[in-house]
Amino acid sequence: MKQGTFLLDVTFKAKLYILLSIAVLFIAIIPAKVISGIFSNDATIFIVSLVGFTVLLEFVAWYFLSLPMEIYDSMTAKKTICEELPFAEEQPEVEITEEPEEPLSMAEEKDENKDKITYPSTIDLYKKGCDDYYEKQAAFKKEQLDKIAEYIHYIMAPFIKQENLESFCNEIMSFAINPDYVPRPFVGLKGTLTSFDIRHLIWNITSRLGLGRGKQYSVELCINFIRTMFPDLCKDLDYSTLKNLRVTSTTDKIHIDEPGNDGISFHIPQTIR
């Protein structure tokens, strides 16, 4: 940096500092006056407050001026460097002749392509994400239905003949797949099971599929299914009686089975699996 430019820079900063200090001093008088007024215009408190606020405001002012000053110094330095740099002499143009490239052999092309990294496109990533999501959903749904079918065969085996158990299971599984499924009536359980047992059976299954208001299975859907499939057990029972799917009695044979930690497992003894 040239001496004249350096002196000009120092003079500018000195003037800026003096003006800033005067402005800060006048501004600091205001809060100092307020504080000394609180303590009955004590001169000592006024002087201490004035000095404190002056130092504080000086620090804040220079803190916020540091960035503009850096920008100013940078512009000054760039201007000086540009003035001191000599202009490059123009060089005569040299004509460059490119030699034709020889075609690559098959082996060389393979080696060259081996080093190239190919990234999947956004569309490919989107499709892959959708495929993975639906594959996981399908796998979870299959596991869910497998556990329900296993539970029906286990829990109903003592109450239904083996030749009728498969058709019974098909009706319940159809309901597990489609909430709007209308079942065929199944009679012959009266005297063996009661409406309490059937309500527990349907609750145990639908609670794992989504039971409740705003979910896939509502209480109304479950009641309609129970009334249609088990007319002999629900005879003379109205909606208000059937709506409590978890109600128990002293003669229950099918009990409430809360879902396991995974949300779908039943409490079936491990020894029979």
Side-chain angles (χ1 to χ4, degrees), residues 17 35 43 47 63 71 73 104 108-109 119 121 156 161 164 166 168 186 192 197 203 218 224 229 234 239-240 273:
Y17 177 76
I35 292 177
I47 294 172
Y63 177 79
I71 295 173
D73 291 341
L104 296 175
E108 290 174 339
E109 285 184 1
Y119 297 96
S121 66
M156 295 304 297
K161 293 179 180 179
N164 297 328
E166 202 61 39
F168 179 89
F186 190 93
T192 306
D197 299 309
W203 186 91
S218 64
N224 291 335
M229 186 167 178
C234 299
Y239 177 87
S240 60
R273 296 190 176 203

Side-chain angles (χ1 to χ4, degrees), residues 17-184:
Y17 177 76
I18 293 171
L19 290 174
L20 184 62
S21 299
I22 294 171
V24 166
L25 180 63
F26 278 104
I27 294 172
I29 290 173
I30 297 172
K33 275 280 191 183
V34 173
I35 292 177
S36 65
I38 295 173
F39 295 95
S40 302
N41 294 321
D42 191 330
T44 304
I45 293 175
F46 172 76
I47 294 172
V48 172
S49 300
L50 180 62
V51 172
F53 279 112
T54 302
V55 173
L56 177 62
L57 291 174
E58 285 274 3
F59 174 77
V60 172
W62 278 105
Y63 177 79
F64 283 103
L65 278 176
S66 61
L67 180 61
M69 290 303 298
E70 288 180 5
I71 295 173
Y72 172 79
D73 291 341
S74 175
M75 293 175 63
T76 306
K78 286 182 180 180
K79 183 177 179 182
T80 305
I81 291 171
C82 291
E83 290 175 352
E84 293 177 354
L85 286 175
F87 290 103
E89 296 180 1
E90 293 185 0
Q91 299 293 330
E93 294 184 0
V94 178
E95 185 178 351
I96 300 174
T97 58
E98 296 183 357
E99 296 182 0
E101 296 182 358
E102 295 182 1
L104 296 175
S105 64
M106 293 292 291
E108 290 174 339
E109 285 184 1
K110 286 182 180 179
D111 292 337
E112 188 176 281
N113 292 332
K114 191 185 298 182
D115 296 334
K116 293 181 180 178
I117 301 174
T118 57
Y119 297 96
S121 66
T122 305
I123 296 176
D124 292 337
L125 288 173
Y126 172 79
K127 289 180 178 179
K128 183 68 168 60
C130 290
D131 291 343
D132 289 346
Y133 172 79
Y134 288 118
E135 283 178 9
K136 289 178 182 178
Q137 291 292 312
F140 177 78
K141 187 67 176 177
K142 183 180 182 302
E143 182 184 7
Q144 197 177 46
L145 295 175
D146 288 345
K147 289 183 181 293
I148 291 172
E150 181 186 20
Y151 170 72
I152 295 171
H153 282 86
Y154 164 73
I155 205 68
M156 295 304 297
F159 313 113
I160 300 178
K161 293 179 180 179
Q162 187 173 2
E163 58 266 24
N164 297 328
L165 185 56
E166 202 61 39
S167 60
F168 179 89
C169 183
N170 288 339
E171 294 299 311
I172 302 294
M173 291 303 296
S174 297
F175 181 58
I177 295 171
N178 177 17
D180 297 322
Y181 176 74
V182 179
R184 291 176 292 181

Side-chain angles (χ1 to χ4, degrees), residues 211-235:
L211 173 64
R213 183 174 297 177
K215 296 185 178 179
Q216 191 175 9
Y217 290 85
S218 64
V219 175
E220 291 79 6
L221 273 174
C222 294
I223 292 173
N224 291 335
F225 180 83
I226 293 170
R227 281 173 134 176
T228 305
M229 186 167 178
F230 308 101
D232 54 342
L233 297 180
C234 299
K235 188 178 180 181

Side-chain angles (χ1 to χ4, degrees), residues 185-199:
F186 190 93
V187 295
L189 294 176
K190 193 172 180 63
T192 306
L193 298 178
T194 66
S195 68
F196 293 95
D197 299 309
I198 295 303
R199 277 181 272 173

